[in-house]
Amino acid sequence: MSATPVLALRGVSKRFGAVQALTDVDLEIQPGEVVALVGDNGAGKSTLVKTISGVHPIDEGAIEWDGKPVHVNRPQDAQNLGIATVYQDLALCDNLDVVANLFLGSEIRRGTILDEIAMEKRAKELLDTLSIRIPSVRIPVASLSGGQRQVVAIARALVGDPKVVILDEPTAALGVEQTAQVLDLVERLRERGHGVILISHNMEDVRAVADKVAVLRLGRNNGVFDVKTTSHEVIISAITGATDNAVTRRKARTATASVTATAAKEDAK
């Protein structure tokens, strides 16, 4: 990986009136890296995402792009840099087909006329590159499954060839097979060299695809962990701010039960 992150937040703070939503937050995203942003409800994840995507300009700190300070004061600024955000509501138009949704707001034109052939060809190429399987690019989005709708929304974000893709709870309310389809796409984004910020409450999904886990607690950094070398319990402790929580207590009960069962077997011999 490059020594210079494609996106970096340095001491970012954000307040809304008397409410301090973010305080001195740091975050780095490398090209070809999936960083999971996790935290309890109210930890500041949504606010942080909206500062990166230009919805809420930061009050203090700095945002760096390829090592250089930049100003992100509106969504257009983020898009121009190469940041694409897929929000949880997906913002798809159910009455339009896949092609129309992919190019909504960035239609290809030939003079004053929409170039439907060029858009359909580009849509098929993009979906094929990402190994996205849908029945047809000309069927209404309303007829797609939840997983298919999610991958179409992600594909739409890639039309402008961004460097960083932010995914807000992409597997929420999806079934097992649909979740696997979305996680496969996240891995393909990494392979294509995109930096990915994955917001999720599902630790199984996080451990399946993320390289690092950045924990927010009460609007502050509470640790950045390598997924391969960090236990589930350590991450949960960072999220909750306590070493004693439901996960650690359940693990302790399981360990105690195992020891008791082993002792009983030994006594029975």
Side-chain angles (χ1 to χ4, degrees):
M1 289 187 181
S2 170
T4 303
V6 61
L7 172 68
L9 276 61
R10 311 291 188 192
V12 166
S13 296
K14 179 66 185 177
R15 70 181 64 85
F16 299 96
V19 177
Q20 188 74 31
L22 298 173
T23 305
D24 200 26
V25 173
D26 294 332
L27 183 69
E28 291 188 353
I29 310 297
Q30 297 282 352
E33 178 182 57
V34 179
V35 177
L37 183 63
V38 303
D40 213 341
N41 292 332
K45 301 187 301 297
S46 295
T47 301
L48 186 61
V49 165
K50 289 178 180 178
T51 62
I52 297 172
S53 58
V55 176
H56 297 318
I58 63 175
D59 294 324
E60 298 170 10
I63 298 176
E64 296 179 359
W65 186 258
D66 286 334
K68 299 177 181 178
V70 293
H71 296 287
V72 182
N73 297 317
R74 56 196 181 117
Q76 190 64 40
D77 295 336
Q79 293 171 13
N80 289 341
L81 285 173
I83 300 171
T85 305
V86 181
Y87 292 103
Q88 197 169 347
D89 63 5
L90 303 184
L92 296 173
C93 297
D94 287 348
N95 61 314
L96 300 180
D97 63 23
V98 173
V99 173
N101 269 280
L102 288 179
F103 291 93
L104 192 62
S106 56
E107 292 85 355
I108 299 174
R109 296 179 181 274
R110 189 170 52 211
T112 59
I113 302 173
L114 292 180
D115 194 336
E116 295 285 354
I117 296 176
M119 286 191 292
E120 181 171 330
K121 180 181 179 181
R122 175 77 176 94
K124 289 179 179 178
E125 290 174 350
L126 178 61
L127 297 179
D128 287 345
T129 299
L130 296 171
S131 299
I132 295 175
R133 295 181 295 278
I134 56 175
S136 168
V137 295
R138 284 303 181 183
I139 63 173
V141 162
S143 65
L144 299 178
S145 69
Q148 290 170 333
R149 289 166 61 88
Q150 183 71 59
V151 296
V152 167
I154 296 173
R156 183 179 63 185
L158 299 179
V159 169
D161 197 24
K163 289 186 177 181
V164 173
V165 182
I166 304 173
L167 304 177
D168 185 10
E169 296 282 358
T171 60
L174 295 183
V176 175
E177 184 175 352
Q178 295 173 340
T179 294
Q181 184 179 14
V182 173
L183 295 181
D184 284 346
L185 180 52
V186 173
E187 291 183 333
R188 285 193 287 276
L189 293 180
R190 178 203 285 125
E191 293 168 359
R192 285 165 54 97
H194 297 283
V196 180
I197 301 175
L198 173 69
I199 296 90
S200 180
H201 282 95
N202 190 318
M203 293 307 299
E204 293 300 320
D205 292 353
V206 167
R207 298 190 72 84
V209 297
D211 300 297
K212 295 190 303 189
V213 178
V215 179
L216 285 183
R217 176 166 168 74
L218 303 177
R220 297 176 180 268
N221 289 117
N222 204 32
V224 178
F225 305 95
D226 184 276
V227 171
K228 294 180 179 179
T229 59
T230 308
S231 70
H232 181 70
E233 289 74 26
V234 168
I235 296 174
I236 294 298
S237 295
I239 293 172
T240 60
T243 56
D244 183 35
N245 54 63
V247 173
T248 56
R249 289 194 296 271
R250 185 170 66 248
K251 185 177 181 181
R253 288 197 302 270
T254 303
T256 301
S258 177
V259 170
T260 302
T262 301
K265 288 180 180 178
E266 291 296 326
D267 291 342
K269 289 181 179 179

